[in-house]
Amino acid sequence: MNITLSIIYLIATVTFVIGLKMLGHPETAKKGNLIAAVGMILAIIGTIFLHDFEVPSINYILIGAALLVGTIVGWLIAIKVEMTKMPELVSLFNGFGGASAMLIGVVEYGNKVGDAMQTSTVIAAIAIGSITFTGSLIAWAKLNGSMKDIRLPKYNLLNNIVLLGLIAFSTYIVMMGGNHLFLIYILLFASLVYGILFVIPIGGADMPVVISLLNSLTGIAAAITGILYGNMVMLVGGILVGSAGLILTFVMCDAMNRSLSNVIFGAFGGDGASEGVAAVGKTGGTVKKTTASDSAILLNYASKVVIVPGYGLAVAQAQHVIHELELLLTSKGIDVSYAIHPVAGRMPGHMNVLLAESNVDYDKLIEMDDINPQFANTDVVLVVGANDVVNPAAHNDPSSPIYGMPILDVENAKHIIINKRSMNAGYAGIQNELFFNQKTSMLFGDAKAALTDLVSELKNM
């Protein structure tokens, strides 16, 4: 590799690290994303024009066409995607990354025959890339509602058998040596099937964990392709994505009271735990309905208000209205903040991004561990579209499928207003005990319409 290309790769690697660091804060995230993107563009241009091997002219045309089509498609998707569809888009991106590693592995297999280490790397790229590809497509289908949860008989046992079979078969191919393309295609097909089996039984409530884990696998697949080509920028980029995704997976597991081994072996989402009695709930009591007028009065005379956003807020695209409500309350001298649960929404950080889109001050977004002690001194909690992340059953009901899951302790507040379309259960499939709490008032209706009414009532006070 020539020295100029090595320097370009070093610069690109530095931009990846800087960009990733800046993504940790909303105020610098956009700039960090642009810095990392510039580094990637430099790496691509350097690789195309400064390589040290012969390439037919037609290949440059094909590469240019692919880059042009990919840029146009990516640009159109990015500017048109709705915030509620962002988790699905992330799943697709994960899948495309896995598919790339899978195809590279298939293409390179014949060139690496005879070297056990190189063959192992190729097989790892094929297997991990294939699992990520189909797993991400299933996650995408579940997130957009086109596929429901499917509980196969003894699916944990089935998944584990298939996984062990993949590992054994991959080892067999490496030990045999020689060019066995037919066996590679069998491995490819089996890995694609396992990716489906891995994700298909997982409940929608666990999708944040699935997304972060698949993101980590995509990074690992990219790192493996970097090893195949001896490309340091691919290797470092893949390691950064893989490690960041793995760290995020641990955070999501903690937030949902899951262990990483529980995630890897497909044992999360419940074995029908949300069926039967648990699905009905052990709530009892009565539901107290409220109106926008009564809710506005309660908010108007509060000193401290905490807003708990959830996926229902995103679905209604009510992030701008809730920011208007926050500004209105603040103008009245009321202390307003947002309580952010790590897995609120359909992907990690979904609520942070949603509220940042409406220019909510980042300092008002308070993480679960920091906000929970404040609920006892909170006059009113306004829950908008959140469900499982505020369900006291996580503390009170050992038979509940979410028992032990860390939640926002909104039940400790003096008054609770919950905005929901209906009394339907959340993604975990259980009724929310908080709905029947004596301090809770239910404000039924679409989040955007309900919040608009609240703002209108408050303006008249």
Side-chain angles (χ1 to χ4, degrees), residues 115-361:
D115 187 321
M117 183 60 68
Q118 290 289 319
T119 302
S120 299
T121 305
V122 168
I123 288 174
I126 294 172
I128 296 175
S130 300
I131 293 169
T132 305
F133 175 55
T134 51
S136 296
L137 290 183
I138 296 298
W140 168 80
K142 281 175 170 285
L143 287 168
N144 70 15
S146 58
M147 175 178 286
K148 303 299 181 182
D149 300 337
I150 300 175
R151 288 288 191 268
L152 301 173
K154 303 294 183 182
Y155 75 89
N156 279 326
L157 178 62
L158 174 64
N159 283 358
N160 292 340
I161 290 175
V162 174
L163 178 60
L164 292 174
L166 283 175
I167 295 173
F169 188 58
S170 300
T171 304
Y172 172 73
I173 296 175
V174 174
M175 293 181 65
M176 280 189 65
N179 193 338
H180 303 283
L181 191 58
F182 178 69
L183 296 181
I184 289 297
Y185 284 127
I186 293 177
L187 175 66
L188 171 64
F189 177 76
S191 299
L192 291 172
V193 171
Y194 178 72
I196 296 173
L197 293 175
F198 175 67
V199 180
I200 207 170
I202 297 172
D206 295 321
M207 277 300 118
V209 182
V210 177
I211 291 174
S212 60
L213 180 59
L214 290 174
N215 184 64
S216 178
L217 291 177
T218 301
I220 293 172
I224 290 172
T225 56
I227 294 173
L228 281 176
Y229 291 113
N231 190 309
M232 291 300 103
V233 73
M234 287 180 68
L235 177 61
V236 173
I239 290 173
L240 288 174
V241 174
S243 57
L246 193 58
I247 292 171
L248 188 57
T249 300
F250 277 114
V251 173
M252 295 299 104
C253 287
D254 289 341
M256 300 188 74
N257 195 35
R258 311 274 187 193
S259 67
L260 182 58
S261 61
N262 201 247
V263 174
I264 293 174
F265 293 104
F268 63 116
D271 284 304
S274 61
E275 299 174 3
V277 176
V280 176
K282 299 180 179 180
T283 52
T286 57
V287 173
K288 182 172 62 177
K289 297 181 182 180
T290 189
T291 63
S293 177
D294 290 339
S295 299
I297 292 173
L298 195 60
L299 290 168
N300 190 62
Y301 290 100
S303 297
K304 180 177 177 60
V305 172
V306 174
I307 300 172
V308 179
Y311 185 64
L313 179 73
V315 171
Q317 299 184 32
Q319 61 270 31
H320 297 290
V321 183
I322 205 165
H323 181 42
E324 184 181 1
L325 174 65
E326 170 224 319
L327 293 177
L328 183 57
L329 292 173
T330 301
S331 68
K332 293 175 176 289
I334 300 170
D335 178 17
V336 183
S337 57
Y338 295 82
I340 307 299
H341 192 281
V343 294
R346 292 297 179 267
M347 65 178 289
H350 195 182
M351 292 301 103
N352 301 68
V353 175
L354 184 73
L355 294 172
E357 185 185 33
S358 60
N359 296 317
V360 171
D361 186 352

Side-chain angles (χ1 to χ4, degrees), residues 1-9 41-55 60:
M1 186 184 299
N2 63 63
I3 186 65
T4 304
L5 186 57
S6 297
I7 293 174
I8 289 176
Y9 281 174
I41 292 172
L42 285 175
I44 292 173
I45 293 175
T47 301
I48 293 174
F49 295 105
L50 298 177
H51 56 78
D52 51 7
F53 50 87
E54 292 294 327
V55 176
Y60 285 106

